[in-house]
Amino acid sequence: MNTPAQQPSGPEPEGGHESEGPEVEDRVYRSTSGIAGGVLLLAIIGWLCVDAVVTGEGRAPWLALATLLAIVPPVVAYTLLPAVYAGDDRLRVRNPFRTIVLPWGRVAALRAGYTNEVVSDAGTKYQLWALPVSLRARKRAARREMRATGERAQGVDVRTAGQAPGAGGASRRGGAASAPGGTEAPERAPSDRAMDELRELHENRQTAGSAQGEVSVRWSYEILAPTLAGVILLTVLLAVT
């Protein structure tokens, strides 16, 4: 499941021009199941490694520390860090090992298939790790939509039958029945709903002057560096006899 939240958008525009009205906040999308799984994994890894450091003998404590250094950053990167920040002017995608900032004017498409991804106008694809696709959730939403469609159809049939000529009692029942309150939105999986919101925001803001600029990509060296150090240390410890 993906939960949109709100965060302050980027800094105010330069040049002395003040924005009208209150500051608009970014929509933030995260995977709650990914965060829960990451916390559980970190708890298990921490328990095993701390136990090895405290009770282990010989090289066991050092191997545990090296393993901790090599495993914890990737677990954090793949479970706790991924997020999608959607503001009025740009889309910021924080993936496990890099952060991509795309002004809405540089976004060509937002695609939802077996994975959710954003495509820049240069044709480069960036996967949205914070919006994982759940085929089970899609099937569940489709089943709910089919049931809701059937119930709405039955309601229309009952109302029509109540208004049929020559059926006095049925006509009175039909007159007492309430009419449907408009067309309801179809059932959608949580990640698909999030993609619909992003598409709507993109459609509304892609031509805005403040939504133009260059695509930027920043690698997460704070994750890569300790992971590489832990792998090297673990390799050296295993190689030493």
Side-chain angles (χ1 to χ4, degrees), residues 66 69-75 77 97 221-233:
L69 187 60
I71 292 180
V72 168
V75 170
F97 296 112
Y221 294 106
E222 66 276 9
I223 297 294
L224 295 171
T227 301
L228 182 60
V231 170
I232 293 175
L233 180 59

Side-chain angles (χ1 to χ4, degrees), residues 105-128:
R106 299 298 302 274
V107 174
L110 288 152
R111 298 176 181 173
Y114 290 107
T115 61
N116 291 319
E117 58 188 20
V118 56
V119 184
S120 70
D121 56 358
T124 307
K125 300 177 183 179
Y126 303 101
Q127 187 174 348
L128 305 180

Side-chain angles (χ1 to χ4, degrees), residues 147-189:
R147 285 197 298 268
T149 302
E151 291 172 358
R152 289 194 293 267
Q154 290 176 4
V156 172
D157 291 341
V158 170
R159 184 187 61 181
T160 305
Q163 295 175 351
S171 177
R172 287 191 294 273
R173 289 194 298 273
S178 59
T183 303
E184 299 180 4
E187 286 283 348
R188 301 277 281 167

Side-chain angles (χ1 to χ4, degrees), residues 49-96:
C49 290
V50 169
D51 181 70
V53 170
V54 174
T55 62
E57 298 178 356
R59 291 185 303 164
W62 293 104
L63 287 172
L65 290 175
T67 302
L68 197 66
L69 187 60
I71 292 180
V72 168
V75 170
V76 172
Y78 280 103
T79 60
L80 304 184
L81 284 186
V84 173
Y85 301 85
D88 278 348
D89 298 331
R90 82 285 184 269
L91 179 71
R92 182 158 63 97
V93 181
R94 191 170 70 187
N95 282 342

Side-chain angles (χ1 to χ4, degrees), residues 125-216:
K125 300 177 183 179
Y126 303 101
Q127 187 174 348
L128 305 180
W129 281 84
L131 296 175
V133 171
S134 172
L135 298 180
R136 179 180 299 178
R138 283 181 176 175
K139 292 178 180 178
R140 188 162 54 243
R143 288 195 297 268
R144 287 199 299 264
E145 176 61 20
M146 290 177 63
R147 285 197 298 268
T149 302
E151 291 172 358
R152 289 194 293 267
Q154 290 176 4
V156 172
D157 291 341
V158 170
R159 184 187 61 181
T160 305
Q163 295 175 351
S171 177
R172 287 191 294 273
R173 289 194 298 273
S178 59
T183 303
E184 299 180 4
E187 286 283 348
R188 301 277 281 167
S191 63
D192 292 334
R193 288 200 303 267
M195 292 297 289
D196 291 341
E197 294 176 3
L198 293 177
R199 290 192 189 98
E200 181 181 1
L201 188 56
H202 170 235
E203 182 179 355
N204 295 334
R205 297 294 300 170
Q206 60 181 332
T207 58
S210 58
Q212 311 304 315
E214 296 297 326
V215 178
S216 65

